[in-house]
């Protein structure tokens, strides 16, 4: 079936040793069955180092070093599996990150997750978030689903990109259209909830306590908040299988956008570079924990 992507997607390349928040630090990486078979039979010189680095208890995964780094990350930030053997020897997660996929009635869509700082830079730097390109074919057949989220997504993008309206007004119309708004709960309720989530970095728990739904957006940064919101809709709205799921995705997206604005305000962020860091952090903590995402999606519609 056909594979589609946002227009900025083909410009993505991992910035490897230049990455300040490498996905090879702090994350435990599972090794899939197919790659395990390759590693088990590998005879190349670096093969033994790979075998020795895998913890086979429960799901096989690379055992992190004491400093939480992947054992294959070298001192300069490059992957030793790639430098010794080539990209073909990466496991599925390392090959695919930071990509995500969604099935639609027209084919598959691929996107880049905002927890990756280079992906985040591309997402927030690109204004044509509604434009898609066909980038090739992917295995599998289109499995028609009753609920088609794409017309709803288009409608949201058309409201969001209507720059004749103030930004806050566009957010209000989207919230009203879908009957879901972060303002349906008090700021204290959201802060309590944020305080109860799991965090990769405990410092973010305190940072997120600055949450406020109605706070105005940091001056000059609304255009980037708009793109962040479009990204959350692209990722979560498209994955919805029914109207309730789409409504929850819209609520989650609106909430994440307000959290980015709140943290940016609290931290005195005044440029794109600063906002990229806040957006990356929010994505990492809220989107890359399935538990946190599900908790927030169910709370936003309850
Ligand atoms: S977070 Fe992104 S840019 Fe950084 S190492 Fe991972 S894939 Fe590369």
């Amino acid at each position: 079936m056909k594979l589609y992507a946002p227009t900025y997607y083909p410009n993505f390349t991992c910035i490897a040793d230049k990455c300040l928040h490498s996905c090879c630090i702090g994350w435990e990486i599972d090794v899939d069955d197919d790659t395990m078979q390759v590693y088990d039979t590998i005879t190349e010189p670096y093969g033994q180092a790979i075998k020795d680095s895998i913890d086979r208890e429960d799901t096989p995964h690379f055992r992190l070093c004491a400093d939480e780094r992947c054992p294959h990350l070298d001192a300069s930030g490059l992957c030793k599996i790639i430098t010794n053997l080539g990209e073909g020897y990466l496991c599925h997660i390392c090959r695919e990150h930071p990509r995500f996929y969604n099935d639609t009635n027209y084919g598959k869509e691929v996107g880049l997750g905002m927890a990756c700082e280079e992906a985040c830079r591309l997402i927030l730097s690109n204004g044509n978030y509604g434009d898609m390109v066909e980038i090739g074919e992917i295995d599998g057949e289109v499995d028609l689903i009753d609920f088609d989220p794409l017309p709803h997504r288009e409608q949201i993008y058309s409201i969001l990109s209507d720059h004749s309206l103030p930004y806050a007004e566009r957010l209000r119309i989207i919230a009203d259209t879908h009957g879901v708004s972060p303002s349906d709960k008090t700021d204290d309720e959201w802060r309590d909830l944020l305080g109860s989530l799991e965090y990769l970095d405990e410092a973010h728990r305190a940072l997120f306590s600055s949450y406020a739904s109605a706070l105005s957006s940091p001056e000059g940064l609304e255009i980037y908040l708009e793109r962040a919101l479009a990204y959350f809709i692209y990722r979560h709205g498209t994955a919805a299988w029914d109207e309730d799921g789409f409504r929850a995705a819209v609520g989650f997206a609106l909430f994440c956008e307000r959290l980015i604005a709140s943290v940016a305000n609290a931290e005195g962020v005044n440029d794109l570079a600063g906002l990229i860091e806040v957006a990356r952090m929010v994505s990492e903590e809220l989107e890359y924990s399935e538990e946190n995402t599900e908790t927030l999606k169910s709370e936003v519609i309850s």
Side-chain angles (χ1 to χ4, degrees):
M1 76 176 121
K2 294 200 183 306
L3 183 63
Y4 299 92
T7 47
Y8 55 78
Y9 177 89
N11 298 329
F12 175 75
T13 359
C14 168
I15 53 174
D17 52 327
K18 294 180 189 62
C19 183
L20 298 176
H21 302 278
S22 171
C23 53
C24 310
I25 301 173
W27 305 80
E28 207 167 74
I29 296 158
D30 291 344
V31 182
D32 55 288
D33 293 346
D34 289 347
T35 310
M36 264 318 292
Q37 278 182 22
V38 174
Y39 290 165
D40 277 338
T41 53
I42 201 166
T43 53
E44 282 81 352
Y46 194 65
Q48 194 55 46
I50 295 181
K51 289 179 204 170
D52 291 345
S53 71
I54 295 173
D55 184 336
R56 291 170 189 258
E57 252 180 58
D58 303 324
T59 308
H61 57 273
F62 293 125
R63 204 180 293 109
L64 292 180
C65 300
D67 55 3
E68 297 276 291
R69 292 168 71 90
C70 171
H72 304 292
L73 187 64
D74 74 14
S76 59
L78 295 174
C79 172
K80 288 189 268 186
I81 296 182
I82 297 180
T83 50
N84 281 282
L85 299 164
E87 285 194 24
Y89 281 84
L90 290 177
C91 63
H92 181 78
I93 289 179
C94 294
R95 228 175 15 244
E96 286 293 338
H97 184 80
R99 294 162 187 83
F100 63 85
Y101 295 87
N102 280 321
D103 287 318
T104 76
N105 281 350
Y106 315 94
K108 211 179 259 292
E109 290 186 345
V110 59
L112 299 168
M114 210 157 68
C116 159
E117 66 184 57
E118 176 58 4
C120 191
R121 188 190 66 75
L122 282 173
I123 291 163
L124 299 194
S125 305
N126 196 292
N128 304 324
Y129 45 78
D131 293 350
M132 303 288 290
V133 280
E134 189 185 319
I135 56 165
E137 297 275 336
I138 190 165
D139 287 347
E141 298 285 323
V142 170
D143 193 7
L144 286 179
I145 37 178
D146 291 339
F147 175 75
D148 183 359
L150 295 202
H152 301 280
R153 186 176 85 189
E154 290 312 307
Q155 188 200 30
I156 289 177
Y157 282 180
S158 119
I159 298 165
L160 195 54
S161 58
D162 181 357
H163 293 163
S164 68
L165 296 172
Y167 182 59
E169 178 66 2
R170 284 177 264 155
L171 295 185
R172 189 195 60 74
I173 295 172
I174 293 168
D176 287 355
T177 305
H178 293 276
V180 64
S181 166
S183 304
D184 293 343
K185 282 196 191 320
T186 66
D187 289 347
D188 279 341
E189 284 173 320
W190 281 123
R191 288 181 199 133
D192 285 350
L193 188 66
L194 284 165
S196 71
L197 299 178
E198 60 174 15
Y199 283 86
L200 277 166
D201 181 341
E202 274 303 316
H204 296 160
R205 194 186 298 277
L207 211 54
F208 289 6
S209 68
S210 59
Y211 180 80
S213 294
L215 206 68
S216 57
S217 304
E219 212 182 318
L221 299 185
E222 289 177 344
I223 189 77
Y224 306 119
L225 289 166
E226 171 188 328
R227 294 169 189 174
L229 177 57
Y231 155 80
F232 288 118
I233 297 287
Y234 178 69
R235 180 166 193 164
H236 298 273
T238 315
W241 288 82
D242 56 27
E243 284 193 28
D244 281 348
F246 192 81
R247 197 168 146 254
V250 173
F252 175 75
L254 289 166
F255 175 78
C256 290
E257 185 276 347
R258 283 296 82 194
L259 179 58
I260 295 171
S262 303
V263 175
N265 266 320
E267 293 295 292
V269 169
N270 58 10
D271 60 9
L272 174 59
L275 201 73
I276 288 172
E277 177 48 16
V278 177
R280 187 204 61 76
M281 196 189 293
V282 168
S283 167
E284 172 185 83
E285 296 291 5
L286 302 192
E287 280 192 299
Y288 280 75
S289 155
E290 227 171 278
E291 201 180 310
N292 287 351
T293 305
E294 287 318 309
T295 301
L296 288 164
K297 281 184 182 171
S298 70
E299 284 294 333
V300 85
I301 55 170
S302 67

